[in-house]
Amino acid sequence: MGTVLHRNKPAVALADSGGLPTDVLFEVLLRFPAKVLCRLRLVCRSWRSLTSDPIFARAHASRHPLVTVIYFSVSSHEVRVVDLSGNIVKRMPLAQPNYAMTTQLDMVCVTGVFIQNPGSVLDLAAGEAVTALSFRDDVRGTSEVISPFLLGHVPSTGEYKVFYSDARAVTVYGEEGVHAVQVCSVTTLGDSGDGGRWRAKPSPPAQIASSPRERVVVIGVAYFLLSMRCTGNNPTNNVEPDAIAVFDLAAEEWRPATLQGPLSSRLAGGNQKLVYEEHRHNIQLAAMDGCLVTVHHNHRQNGSMDLWFLVDKELWNKRYSIRSATHCYALRTSYPLLLLDDGRIVIWDEGVHVLRVYDPRINKWADLATLETYYVFMNMYQGNLLCPGLPG
């Protein structure tokens, strides 16, 4: 779907390619979708070598983006890799129902919402389960936890880590009196020397949210909107509804101060104050183009979905203000997934199960695919089926 502008061709020997020049074969194979290409690469060694080359794999992933979807029906539970036309490229069965996921490269972490349904991490490229994730023993009294696990990749070390947080604060009785803390832990996947044990971490500077659309990992850093309990419409509460807690996965520590969101940043120093009831329910977090993105569903004013990109440590840029062609509430269930190379934005409408693309240059929408109602959650597939483990 995207436009590949600059790339080098892989230097691959094509002894049995039928006489086609490398550049021609490169362009021909690049046009096939991933599902077809996975079969064509079995034709001969040179085709397999070409399609496994990182240069080709990156170019193909740019032109043929994929999404990961949780499929949940009465008879079947799966994680599916789907192209933007809705065609199934790969599927992996799940042992139990799951309703949310986070993705990092080839890995996907799925989780249920009840204590009886722990999560698991799957390697989609290898087609195998990596590990099961169980809840910590000291918080099993919590009956419902929404997306407690967050999968992250640390580029500097290549490690995959899973962050865990209880959805609610736990009452602690200590020498300084009674107070509430949020239980947080981290584990490293693979041979990390700790046997996959959870490592307890300090509580965040304020209670964090647990909804899967309110937490995201970008380049080894986890971002969390604060819980609605912290940002309620209370005159004694000074926390803004778009405040963000920041956890460094490499150092495994919280940054001492919360990140000021784009809406409250604009009003800093003025007489205005964001109103919780008008804004907190309408704010989500996303990862696009290597940046943290705050998604603001601005229903009450102009019906737009505003995308604010964090371009510096505390500098936000509203790069897009997307409006519906129908009515002001049409974007209420929409979530941005990907910024294509040609500037268009892929958007998943969870309410009607439709993948759409929006072109901000001409303010036009186009439907890509209508998916089954059994698709309950969607994220971008960040890995590469042709070249597993390839960084983006």
Side-chain angles (χ1 to χ4, degrees), residues 10-90:
V12 179
L14 301 178
D16 48 355
S17 62
L20 287 176
T22 305
D23 286 1
V24 174
L25 185 60
F26 187 102
E27 294 296 337
V28 170
L29 295 179
L30 196 61
R31 296 175 183 272
F32 288 101
K35 186 175 182 179
V36 175
L37 201 57
C38 286
R39 295 197 301 265
L40 289 178
R41 68 192 311 189
L42 301 178
V43 170
C44 60
R45 291 181 181 179
S46 61
W47 284 28
R48 182 175 183 84
S49 180
L50 173 62
T51 56
S52 300
D53 188 279
I55 295 175
F56 179 90
R58 282 196 177 95
H60 188 271
S62 177
R63 184 172 293 192
H64 302 274
L66 301 172
V67 297
T68 53
V69 189
I70 293 179
Y71 178 87
F72 169 58
S73 69
V74 176
S75 58
S76 176
H77 318 306
E78 296 178 334
V79 171
R80 294 181 176 179
V81 180
V82 179
D83 66 22
L84 297 189
S85 297
N87 301 308
I88 300 172
V89 178
K90 194 164 189 174

Side-chain angles (χ1 to χ4, degrees), residues 260-320:
Q260 191 175 34
L263 303 182
S264 53
S265 296
R266 288 193 306 157
L267 303 180
N271 296 322
Q272 303 180 66
K273 181 175 176 61
L274 295 180
V275 180
Y276 160 75
E277 293 179 345
E278 292 185 3
H279 293 279
R280 180 59 182 86
H281 289 284
N282 300 328
I283 297 174
Q284 298 174 319
L285 297 181
M288 297 177 66
D289 201 25
C291 298
L292 171 67
V293 177
T294 294
V295 183
H296 180 215
H297 295 272
N298 198 4
H299 305 306
R300 294 200 176 187
Q301 295 185 19
N302 54 17
S304 67
M305 180 171 66
D306 298 332
L307 305 184
W308 294 83
F309 285 66
L310 185 66
V311 296
D312 200 353
K313 291 183 178 180
E314 297 183 356
L315 178 62
W316 296 92
N317 177 25
K318 185 166 72 171
R319 291 173 58 178
Y320 304 99

Side-chain angles (χ1 to χ4, degrees), residues 187-204:
T187 187
T188 303
L189 302 183
D191 186 14
S192 60
D194 62 0
R197 292 188 297 270
W198 291 102
R199 301 182 292 277
K201 296 299 170 183
S203 299

Side-chain angles (χ1 to χ4, degrees), residues 8 40 53-54 57 67 72 103 111 113 208 234 244 283 339 389:
N8 297 316
L40 289 178
D53 188 279
V67 297
F72 169 58
T103 54
T111 181
V113 295
I208 56 176
N234 186 326
I244 300 169
I283 297 174
L339 179 63

Side-chain angles (χ1 to χ4, degrees), residues 81-128:
V81 180
V82 179
D83 66 22
L84 297 189
S85 297
N87 301 308
I88 300 172
V89 178
K90 194 164 189 174
R91 61 179 78 195
M92 285 190 65
L94 294 171
Q96 54 196 4
N98 289 277
Y99 304 94
M101 73 165 75
T102 54
T103 54
Q104 293 281 292
L105 298 181
D106 294 313
M107 301 290 187
V108 58
C109 177
V110 293
T111 181
V113 295
F114 296 102
I115 202 70
Q116 296 85 354
N117 299 94
S120 59
V121 178
L122 312 174
D123 186 333
L124 295 180
E128 61 186 20

Side-chain angles (χ1 to χ4, degrees), residues 118-326:
S120 59
V121 178
L122 312 174
D123 186 333
L124 295 180
E128 61 186 20
V130 175
T131 186
L133 299 171
S134 299
F135 291 87
R136 282 183 44 168
D137 293 336
D138 55 354
V139 293
R140 285 190 178 275
T142 303
S143 60
E144 182 173 337
V145 179
I146 304 174
S147 188
F149 302 115
L150 180 66
L151 176 66
H153 176 254
V154 183
S156 60
T157 63
E159 295 174 311
Y160 289 91
K161 296 184 178 183
V162 179
F163 174 94
Y164 168 90
S165 66
D166 184 19
R168 312 174 196 181
V170 177
T171 301
V172 175
Y173 300 87
E175 295 180 358
E176 300 179 356
V178 179
H179 61 284
V181 298
Q182 195 166 17
V183 177
C184 298
S185 300
V186 173
T187 187
T188 303
L189 302 183
D191 186 14
S192 60
D194 62 0
R197 292 188 297 270
W198 291 102
R199 301 182 292 277
K201 296 299 170 183
S203 299
Q207 188 177 349
I208 56 176
S210 60
S211 169
R213 296 304 192 199
E214 297 176 337
R215 45 173 60 192
V216 70
V217 175
V218 183
I219 315 178
V221 178
Y223 299 91
F224 305 82
L225 284 173
L226 298 190
S227 168
M228 293 186 184
R229 295 181 179 88
C230 299
T231 59
N233 193 16
N234 186 326
T236 64
N237 195 334
N238 294 321
V239 179
E240 297 289 359
D242 60 345
I244 300 169
V246 183
F247 185 81
D248 188 320
L249 284 169
E252 298 186 5
E253 60 184 18
W254 293 98
R255 293 182 183 170
T258 57
L259 174 65
Q260 191 175 34
L263 303 182
S264 53
S265 296
R266 288 193 306 157
L267 303 180
N271 296 322
Q272 303 180 66
K273 181 175 176 61
L274 295 180
V275 180
Y276 160 75
E277 293 179 345
E278 292 185 3
H279 293 279
R280 180 59 182 86
H281 289 284
N282 300 328
I283 297 174
Q284 298 174 319
L285 297 181
M288 297 177 66
D289 201 25
C291 298
L292 171 67
V293 177
T294 294
V295 183
H296 180 215
H297 295 272
N298 198 4
H299 305 306
R300 294 200 176 187
Q301 295 185 19
N302 54 17
S304 67
M305 180 171 66
D306 298 332
L307 305 184
W308 294 83
F309 285 66
L310 185 66
V311 296
D312 200 353
K313 291 183 178 180
E314 297 183 356
L315 178 62
W316 296 92
N317 177 25
K318 185 166 72 171
R319 291 173 58 178
Y320 304 99
S321 186
I322 303 171
R323 288 173 172 78
S324 170
T326 54

